[in-house]
Amino acid sequence: KKKKKMPGEISGYLPAGWERSETVNGIPYYLNHSHQLTQWDHPAISQLFEEIDSFNEIQYAAYRTAMKIRAVQSLTNMHKVTPNAIENSFEESGLLNSQ
């Protein structure tokens, strides 16, 4: 039986030792067989939250914010998307304000 993808769900890659499963209602959760634990959040998101939290030690807000944004960019591969491609997507969706 093919598993139903939830809105906003990360699919594909799971770190070693992790398995995706579903409740009887079809809600996904993740099992870590190595550490014998379960969680609702995708392991990549949990890792991102931990990494972002570690930047709170950076004194200057601008540097702290930049590091957090960079971590999200790296996880989502947004650093590979050109600004022009983003602008075109917004334009095609009618989300770009005309000046």
Side-chain angles (χ1 to χ4, degrees):
K1 177 181 167 185
K2 188 175 179 182
K3 294 180 180 178
K4 186 173 110 181
K5 186 174 178 193
M6 301 295 285
E9 179 185 352
I10 297 175
S11 61
Y13 168 78
L14 278 173
W18 285 94
E19 175 188 350
R20 181 188 182 279
S21 192
E22 290 183 356
T23 65
V24 293
N25 296 331
I27 300 170
Y29 66 95
Y30 300 90
L31 301 107
N32 184 317
H33 297 288
S34 304
H35 296 99
Q36 297 181 340
L37 61 90
T38 60
Q39 65 186 43
W40 296 108
D41 293 324
H42 190 285
I45 293 297
S46 297
Q47 183 179 355
L48 175 64
F49 288 154
E50 289 174 17
E51 185 177 354
I52 285 174
D53 193 45
S54 74
F55 297 135
N56 288 336
E57 301 297 319
I58 298 174
Q59 183 177 3
Y60 298 107
Y63 295 145
R64 186 173 52 247
T65 302
M67 292 297 293
K68 290 178 179 185
I69 290 170
R70 184 65 181 136
V72 172
Q73 283 178 324
S74 295
L75 177 69
T76 59
N77 287 321
M78 284 300 294
H79 62 288
K80 296 179 179 178
V81 180
T82 65
N84 192 37
I86 295 170
E87 182 180 12
N88 289 342
S89 294
F90 273 78
E91 196 171 75
E92 289 171 8
S93 301
L95 299 172
L96 190 63
N97 292 332
S98 300
Q99 293 182 356

